[in-house]
mmCIF file of all heavy atoms in Angstrom:
data_model
loop_
_atom_site.group_PDB
_atom_site.id
_atom_site.type_symbol
_atom_site.label_atom_id
_atom_site.label_comp_id
_atom_site.label_asym_id
_atom_site.label_seq_id
_atom_site.Cartn_x
_atom_site.Cartn_y
_atom_site.Cartn_z
ATOM 1 N N ASP O 1 0.818 -1.214 0.000
ATOM 2 C CA ASP O 1 0.000 0.000 0.000
ATOM 3 C C ASP O 1 0.852 1.265 0.000
ATOM 4 O O ASP O 1 0.396 2.337 0.419
ATOM 5 C CB ASP O 1 -0.922 0.006 1.229
ATOM 6 C CG ASP O 1 -1.865 -1.186 1.243
ATOM 7 O OD1 ASP O 1 -2.374 -1.530 0.158
ATOM 8 O OD2 ASP O 1 -2.074 -1.771 2.328
ATOM 9 N N PHE O 2 2.071 1.150 -0.465
ATOM 10 C CA PHE O 2 2.995 2.273 -0.367
ATOM 11 C C PHE O 2 2.424 3.547 -0.982
ATOM 12 O O PHE O 2 2.535 4.626 -0.403
ATOM 13 C CB PHE O 2 4.326 1.910 -1.056
ATOM 14 C CG PHE O 2 5.274 3.068 -1.195
ATOM 15 C CD1 PHE O 2 5.930 3.581 -0.087
ATOM 16 C CD2 PHE O 2 5.505 3.664 -2.436
ATOM 17 C CE1 PHE O 2 6.802 4.660 -0.206
ATOM 18 C CE2 PHE O 2 6.375 4.737 -2.565
ATOM 19 C CZ PHE O 2 7.023 5.236 -1.452
ATOM 20 N N TYR O 3 1.825 3.459 -2.145
ATOM 21 C CA TYR O 3 1.364 4.656 -2.838
ATOM 22 C C TYR O 3 0.029 5.182 -2.310
ATOM 23 O O TYR O 3 -0.458 6.202 -2.787
ATOM 24 C CB TYR O 3 1.267 4.392 -4.346
ATOM 25 C CG TYR O 3 2.623 4.453 -5.034
ATOM 26 C CD1 TYR O 3 3.299 3.296 -5.380
ATOM 27 C CD2 TYR O 3 3.231 5.674 -5.319
ATOM 28 C CE1 TYR O 3 4.547 3.343 -6.001
ATOM 29 C CE2 TYR O 3 4.467 5.734 -5.934
ATOM 30 C CZ TYR O 3 5.125 4.568 -6.270
ATOM 31 O OH TYR O 3 6.352 4.628 -6.878
ATOM 32 N N THR O 4 -0.586 4.509 -1.313
ATOM 33 C CA THR O 4 -1.875 4.972 -0.785
ATOM 34 C C THR O 4 -1.821 5.415 0.679
ATOM 35 O O THR O 4 -2.650 6.214 1.109
ATOM 36 C CB THR O 4 -2.924 3.856 -0.919
ATOM 37 O OG1 THR O 4 -2.477 2.687 -0.206
ATOM 38 C CG2 THR O 4 -3.159 3.508 -2.381
ATOM 39 N N HIS O 5 -0.854 4.915 1.470
ATOM 40 C CA HIS O 5 -0.821 5.329 2.874
ATOM 41 C C HIS O 5 -0.066 6.644 3.032
ATOM 42 O O HIS O 5 0.549 7.147 2.095
ATOM 43 C CB HIS O 5 -0.208 4.233 3.749
ATOM 44 C CG HIS O 5 1.237 3.921 3.460
ATOM 45 N ND1 HIS O 5 2.262 4.816 3.638
ATOM 46 C CD2 HIS O 5 1.827 2.771 3.001
ATOM 47 C CE1 HIS O 5 3.406 4.266 3.325
ATOM 48 N NE2 HIS O 5 3.180 3.022 2.917
ATOM 49 N N TRP O 6 -0.133 7.210 4.224
ATOM 50 C CA TRP O 6 0.506 8.501 4.510
ATOM 51 C C TRP O 6 1.686 8.357 5.472
ATOM 52 O O TRP O 6 2.014 9.264 6.231
ATOM 53 C CB TRP O 6 -0.502 9.498 5.089
ATOM 54 C CG TRP O 6 -1.445 8.894 6.102
ATOM 55 C CD1 TRP O 6 -2.622 8.248 5.855
ATOM 56 C CD2 TRP O 6 -1.258 8.876 7.533
ATOM 57 N NE1 TRP O 6 -3.192 7.822 7.027
ATOM 58 C CE2 TRP O 6 -2.382 8.206 8.078
ATOM 59 C CE3 TRP O 6 -0.280 9.352 8.400
ATOM 60 C CZ2 TRP O 6 -2.535 8.003 9.443
ATOM 61 C CZ3 TRP O 6 -0.447 9.157 9.755
ATOM 62 C CH2 TRP O 6 -1.564 8.487 10.266
ATOM 63 N N GLY O 7 2.336 7.204 5.400
ATOM 64 C CA GLY O 7 3.537 6.997 6.189
ATOM 65 C C GLY O 7 3.432 5.829 7.133
ATOM 66 O O GLY O 7 4.433 5.221 7.497
ATOM 67 N N MET O 8 2.201 5.514 7.578
ATOM 68 C CA MET O 8 1.983 4.392 8.491
ATOM 69 C C MET O 8 0.878 3.510 7.945
ATOM 70 O O MET O 8 -0.038 3.983 7.274
ATOM 71 C CB MET O 8 1.587 4.894 9.887
ATOM 72 C CG MET O 8 2.671 5.687 10.604
ATOM 73 S SD MET O 8 2.223 6.042 12.316
ATOM 74 C CE MET O 8 0.744 7.018 12.098
ATOM 75 N N ASN O 9 0.958 2.227 8.282
ATOM 76 C CA ASN O 9 -0.083 1.279 7.917
ATOM 77 C C ASN O 9 -0.917 1.013 9.165
ATOM 78 O O ASN O 9 -0.578 0.170 9.994
ATOM 79 C CB ASN O 9 0.554 -0.016 7.388
ATOM 80 C CG ASN O 9 -0.473 -0.943 6.773
ATOM 81 O OD1 ASN O 9 -1.659 -0.884 7.111
ATOM 82 N ND2 ASN O 9 -0.020 -1.807 5.879
ATOM 83 N N ILE O 10 -2.007 1.739 9.302
ATOM 84 C CA ILE O 10 -2.828 1.687 10.518
ATOM 85 C C ILE O 10 -3.377 0.285 10.752
ATOM 86 O O ILE O 10 -3.466 -0.195 11.885
ATOM 87 C CB ILE O 10 -3.988 2.693 10.431
ATOM 88 C CG1 ILE O 10 -3.442 4.117 10.243
ATOM 89 C CG2 ILE O 10 -4.845 2.612 11.683
ATOM 90 C CD1 ILE O 10 -2.587 4.578 11.390
ATOM 91 N N VAL O 11 -3.712 -0.414 9.663
ATOM 92 C CA VAL O 11 -4.314 -1.738 9.793
ATOM 93 C C VAL O 11 -3.340 -2.722 10.429
ATOM 94 O O VAL O 11 -3.732 -3.612 11.193
ATOM 95 C CB VAL O 11 -4.763 -2.251 8.405
ATOM 96 C CG1 VAL O 11 -5.315 -3.656 8.505
ATOM 97 C CG2 VAL O 11 -5.800 -1.306 7.805
ATOM 98 N N ALA O 12 -2.048 -2.568 10.129
ATOM 99 C CA ALA O 12 -1.061 -3.524 10.626
ATOM 100 C C ALA O 12 -0.595 -3.227 12.042
ATOM 101 O O ALA O 12 0.012 -4.077 12.680
ATOM 102 C CB ALA O 12 0.142 -3.542 9.691
ATOM 103 N N ILE O 13 -0.896 -2.040 12.556
ATOM 104 C CA ILE O 13 -0.393 -1.655 13.876
ATOM 105 C C ILE O 13 -0.960 -2.517 15.002
ATOM 106 O O ILE O 13 -0.203 -2.954 15.877
ATOM 107 C CB ILE O 13 -0.652 -0.157 14.132
ATOM 108 C CG1 ILE O 13 0.257 0.679 13.228
ATOM 109 C CG2 ILE O 13 -0.407 0.194 15.597
ATOM 110 C CD1 ILE O 13 0.053 2.164 13.347
ATOM 111 N N PRO O 14 -2.280 -2.794 15.056
ATOM 112 C CA PRO O 14 -2.803 -3.613 16.159
ATOM 113 C C PRO O 14 -2.100 -4.965 16.271
ATOM 114 O O PRO O 14 -1.770 -5.414 17.372
ATOM 115 C CB PRO O 14 -4.282 -3.790 15.799
ATOM 116 C CG PRO O 14 -4.598 -2.576 14.987
ATOM 117 C CD PRO O 14 -3.379 -2.297 14.193
ATOM 118 N N LYS O 15 -1.843 -5.604 15.133
ATOM 119 C CA LYS O 15 -1.160 -6.895 15.149
ATOM 120 C C LYS O 15 0.241 -6.750 15.727
ATOM 121 O O LYS O 15 0.692 -7.573 16.532
ATOM 122 C CB LYS O 15 -1.093 -7.462 13.731
ATOM 123 C CG LYS O 15 -0.371 -8.800 13.650
ATOM 124 C CD LYS O 15 -0.323 -9.297 12.203
ATOM 125 C CE LYS O 15 0.447 -10.613 12.115
ATOM 126 N NZ LYS O 15 0.536 -11.106 10.713
ATOM 127 N N ALA O 16 0.922 -5.685 15.372
ATOM 128 C CA ALA O 16 2.274 -5.469 15.871
ATOM 129 C C ALA O 16 2.277 -5.194 17.360
ATOM 130 O O ALA O 16 3.151 -5.652 18.090
ATOM 131 C CB ALA O 16 2.922 -4.303 15.118
ATOM 132 N N VAL O 17 1.251 -4.448 17.845
ATOM 133 C CA VAL O 17 1.175 -4.135 19.273
ATOM 134 C C VAL O 17 0.916 -5.402 20.079
ATOM 135 O O VAL O 17 1.497 -5.620 21.147
ATOM 136 C CB VAL O 17 0.087 -3.086 19.537
ATOM 137 C CG1 VAL O 17 -0.128 -2.902 21.034
ATOM 138 C CG2 VAL O 17 0.459 -1.763 18.896
ATOM 139 N N ILE O 18 0.013 -6.259 19.588
ATOM 140 C CA ILE O 18 -0.278 -7.522 20.273
ATOM 141 C C ILE O 18 0.989 -8.364 20.379
ATOM 142 O O ILE O 18 1.288 -8.951 21.422
ATOM 143 C CB ILE O 18 -1.390 -8.296 19.514
ATOM 144 C CG1 ILE O 18 -2.711 -7.539 19.628
ATOM 145 C CG2 ILE O 18 -1.525 -9.716 20.066
ATOM 146 C CD1 ILE O 18 -3.818 -8.120 18.765
ATOM 147 N N GLN O 19 1.790 -8.422 19.269
ATOM 148 C CA GLN O 19 3.046 -9.159 19.302
ATOM 149 C C GLN O 19 4.005 -8.563 20.319
ATOM 150 O O GLN O 19 4.726 -9.277 21.012
ATOM 151 C CB GLN O 19 3.694 -9.149 17.912
ATOM 152 C CG GLN O 19 2.956 -10.003 16.885
ATOM 153 C CD GLN O 19 3.595 -9.917 15.503
ATOM 154 O OE1 GLN O 19 4.364 -9.006 15.242
ATOM 155 N NE2 GLN O 19 3.260 -10.858 14.635
ATOM 156 N N SER O 20 4.003 -7.241 20.432
ATOM 157 C CA SER O 20 4.878 -6.584 21.398
ATOM 158 C C SER O 20 4.509 -6.955 22.822
ATOM 159 O O SER O 20 5.374 -7.201 23.659
ATOM 160 C CB SER O 20 4.802 -5.063 21.219
ATOM 161 O OG SER O 20 5.538 -4.400 22.209
ATOM 162 N N VAL O 21 3.170 -7.037 23.117
ATOM 163 C CA VAL O 21 2.715 -7.370 24.469
ATOM 164 C C VAL O 21 3.038 -8.821 24.807
ATOM 165 O O VAL O 21 3.480 -9.150 25.904
ATOM 166 C CB VAL O 21 1.200 -7.103 24.606
ATOM 167 C CG1 VAL O 21 0.690 -7.618 25.951
ATOM 168 C CG2 VAL O 21 0.914 -5.624 24.463
ATOM 169 N N THR O 22 2.822 -9.705 23.843
ATOM 170 C CA THR O 22 3.027 -11.132 24.105
ATOM 171 C C THR O 22 4.501 -11.529 24.129
ATOM 172 O O THR O 22 4.874 -12.508 24.750
ATOM 173 C CB THR O 22 2.298 -11.973 23.040
ATOM 174 O OG1 THR O 22 2.776 -11.598 21.736
ATOM 175 C CG2 THR O 22 0.797 -11.740 23.113
ATOM 176 N N ARG O 23 5.358 -10.744 23.442
ATOM 177 C CA ARG O 23 6.777 -11.102 23.348
ATOM 178 C C ARG O 23 7.697 -10.206 24.182
ATOM 179 O O ARG O 23 8.900 -10.298 24.106
ATOM 180 C CB ARG O 23 7.241 -11.035 21.891
ATOM 181 C CG ARG O 23 6.507 -12.017 20.990
ATOM 182 C CD ARG O 23 6.976 -11.877 19.553
ATOM 183 N NE ARG O 23 6.232 -12.748 18.657
ATOM 184 C CZ ARG O 23 6.417 -12.796 17.340
ATOM 185 N NH1 ARG O 23 7.329 -12.029 16.787
ATOM 186 N NH2 ARG O 23 5.693 -13.610 16.599
ATOM 187 N N GLY O 24 7.122 -9.323 24.969
ATOM 188 C CA GLY O 24 7.958 -8.431 25.766
ATOM 189 C C GLY O 24 8.017 -7.051 25.138
ATOM 190 O O GLY O 24 7.042 -6.562 24.583
#
């Protein structure tokens, strides 16, 4: 989605945060 987002991929952030909580 490089040409459509504004610097961040909001949809992918929740998944990354959950991984951060579960993995430290």
Side-chain angles (χ1 to χ4, degrees):
D1 300 320
F2 171 72
Y3 281 102
T4 58
H5 64 64
W6 42 274
M8 295 188 299
N9 190 335
I10 301 298
V11 177
I13 290 178
K15 179 181 178 181
V17 172
I18 292 172
Q19 289 178 343
S20 175
V21 173
T22 57
R23 298 178 183 178

